[in-house]
């Protein structure tokens, strides 16, 4: 299954505007998960619109799910393919960066 997803991603013809890759790691080299996530968000905010955002998380699966879901909702373009692979050891996200973060909506 993993190989099929990888082949589909490689065979997807991206136009020339998607030339740059912005790679981000989320690791526990800091004191806690929140510091690692904040550091990752700072790096994502330095990426450019249309960069291929590649996020790799080495945190617990449950924590990675929350962080990757938040990154998708905040930074990924929904009109392009979004690929996630969640695993107990390493989780990954690839998507096209939308250029700036979506603003959080308050529903009250």
């Amino acid at each position: 299954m993993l190989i099929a997803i990888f082949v589909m991603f490689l065979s997807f013809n991206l136009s020339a505007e998607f030339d740059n890759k912005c790679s981000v790691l989320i690791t526990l080299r800091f004191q806690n998960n929140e510091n690692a996530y904040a550091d990752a968000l700072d790096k994502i905010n330095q990426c450019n619109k249309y960069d291929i955002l590649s996020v790799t998380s080495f945190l617990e699966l449950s924590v990675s799910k929350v962080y990757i879901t938040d990154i998708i909702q905040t930074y990924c373009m929904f009109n392009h393919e979004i690929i996630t692979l969640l695993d107990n050891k390493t989780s990954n996200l690839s998507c096209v960066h939308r250029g700036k973060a979506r603003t959080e909506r308050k529903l009250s």
Side-chain angles (χ1 to χ4, degrees), residues 26-75:
I26 305 174
T27 66
L28 280 177
R29 67 174 187 251
F30 296 105
Q31 297 292 355
N32 60 43
N33 292 346
E34 292 161 4
N35 288 343
Y37 186 60
D39 182 57
L41 292 181
D42 288 341
K43 290 178 183 173
I44 291 171
N45 284 324
Q46 295 174 22
C47 299
N48 297 313
K49 186 174 185 176
Y50 299 120
D51 281 354
I52 301 300
L53 182 58
S54 176
V55 178
T56 302
S57 173
F58 294 100
L59 305 178
E60 297 175 18
L61 178 60
S62 60
V63 175
S64 290
K65 282 182 183 180
V66 172
Y67 290 165
I68 286 178
T69 300
D70 183 58
I71 292 170
I72 290 171
Q73 292 173 346
T74 307
Y75 294 99

Side-chain angles (χ1 to χ4, degrees), residues 1-14 52 80-85 94:
M1 179 69 176
L2 175 63
I3 294 173
I5 292 172
F6 185 70
V7 170
M8 286 175 45
F9 182 69
L10 288 179
S11 65
F12 185 71
N13 188 11
L14 298 174
I52 301 300
H80 296 285
E81 190 169 4
I82 298 171
I83 297 174
T84 58
L85 300 170
S94 292

